Amino acid sequence: MKKYLLLFSTFCYSALGFAQADYTPSTTNRFEVGLKAGINNTWIVIDNELQNNEHHNHQFMIKPLGGASVGLKFTESASIMLEGFYSRQGAKFDLTDGNDGGSKIGEKEIKLDYLVVPLLIKYTGAGETRFAFQIGGQMAFLLSGTEENTFDKSGTIENSYTGGPRAYTQGTYLLATTDADKETPETGKFNKKDFNVVADIGMEHELSENSYFSLGLRLAYGFKDIRAEEVQASPNDLDKFTLRYNVTGGLHAGIHWFL
């Protein structure tokens, strides 16, 4: 985690230093503020090489986000943007009785709510309607999280990560939580921070001399395991997990005002 924080800090200081070096007091519409809202397709990338360890199929999920941004223009086409968003993330998986397939026997649901703080360099074209490209990094601070398995029936899978059959029992089981009141000796924990690389492409349209509308498509890729344990294994889970990363991709729209 320290290397990601160092990378993020280096990016921040470099971008701010560049902005200050190009400061021209006569520049108009130099500072801006904005409000943004959007939707994300959220999923969790599973990095796992274990055999007989794919009793889960990812479901498509759409989650909301919303927040605010501030910007500092240091050339006519380049700006530095600092944003803050509430972002609901996580994933749902169908649990199956076959390895890499089979019949559905339940569902895994991971709910993750973050405060994400992107720091981005933005480049735009010219004109009333113009393209916009942003790239940078963001810190994600976990606000709350749960991981839960629900089995619709009881039964046994023939092949599991243990090398043999594994039984499961109908019911709902809490595997991890950030709620201290629901913690037990069996529940796991989540990592409270994540670092993401962010790329964003879209367009801007001037509404007036001092305001514009933005629309963009953004992808954020995380590097930190969502869970705090090095390996996640539970008697109420069919699979054993090593690394699981957050990935989001979606649309956002915003209104921005120059000061």
Side-chain angles (χ1 to χ4, degrees):
M1 184 62 184
K2 289 182 179 179
K3 63 181 179 181
Y4 299 129
L5 290 174
L6 179 60
L7 176 63
F8 187 70
S9 300
T10 302
F11 174 81
C12 294
Y13 286 122
S14 299
L16 289 173
F18 182 41
Q20 292 171 353
D22 280 47
Y23 180 78
T24 53
S26 60
T27 301
T28 58
N29 291 345
R30 180 171 174 77
F31 299 97
E32 67 170 82
V33 297
L35 297 174
K36 286 185 176 182
I39 54 173
N40 275 330
N41 175 23
T42 71
W43 64 97
I44 292 174
V45 176
I46 299 175
D47 183 3
N48 199 330
E49 297 180 355
L50 296 176
Q51 293 183 342
N52 302 319
N53 203 71
E54 295 184 11
H55 299 88
H56 51 270
N57 293 323
H58 182 266
Q59 297 182 17
F60 181 79
M61 291 186 69
I62 293 293
K63 297 288 188 178
L65 63 87
S69 66
V70 295
L72 174 65
K73 181 184 289 188
F74 48 92
T75 72
E76 283 300 314
S77 61
S79 306
I80 185 168
M81 306 294 296
L82 178 64
E83 304 174 340
F85 295 106
Y86 164 78
S87 178
R88 174 158 287 181
Q89 300 178 27
K92 280 187 178 181
F93 300 87
D94 290 335
L95 299 177
T96 63
D97 58 4
N99 190 48
D100 198 19
S103 301
K104 180 180 177 181
I105 58 175
E107 186 175 79
K108 175 188 287 291
E109 183 170 14
I110 301 173
K111 296 180 180 179
L112 301 170
D113 292 335
Y114 287 95
L115 169 65
V116 297
V117 183
L119 181 64
L120 308 171
I121 296 294
K122 181 176 75 171
Y123 298 94
T124 63
E128 182 180 2
T129 301
R130 52 193 176 265
F131 83 90
F133 174 71
Q134 300 180 78
I135 191 167
Q138 74 179 16
M139 292 300 301
F141 303 93
L142 185 65
L143 303 176
S144 65
T146 59
E147 180 176 356
E148 195 172 72
N149 276 2
T150 298
F151 294 104
D152 301 327
K153 57 184 179 180
S154 300
T156 302
I157 58 173
E158 295 301 322
N159 298 307
S160 72
Y161 65 86
T162 61
R166 186 176 182 85
Y168 56 90
T169 304
Q170 182 178 10
T172 298
Y173 304 93
L174 183 64
L175 305 184
T177 182
T178 55
D179 188 344
D181 294 335
K182 296 181 179 180
E183 286 183 352
T184 71
E186 288 76 34
T187 55
K189 299 182 182 298
F190 291 96
N191 279 315
K192 298 297 182 67
K193 297 177 183 178
D194 194 6
F195 176 77
N196 310 132
V197 169
V198 180
D200 189 305
I201 188 168
M203 54 80 66
E204 297 177 354
H205 179 74
E206 290 184 5
L207 300 176
S208 70
E209 183 180 355
N210 296 311
S211 64
Y212 68 92
F213 168 80
S214 68
L215 181 67
L217 174 64
R218 178 171 296 185
L219 176 68
Y221 190 97
F223 289 92
K224 190 72 174 178
D225 194 346
I226 63 169
R227 289 282 296 274
E229 300 86 7
E230 185 174 353
V231 176
Q232 302 94 51
S234 168
N236 298 312
D237 211 344
L238 300 180
D239 294 327
K240 180 178 180 181
F241 301 101
T242 51
L243 297 175
R244 289 183 283 179
Y245 305 106
N246 276 317
V247 177
T248 63
L251 293 170
H252 61 85
I255 302 292
H256 309 258
W257 298 269
F258 289 111
L259 303 178

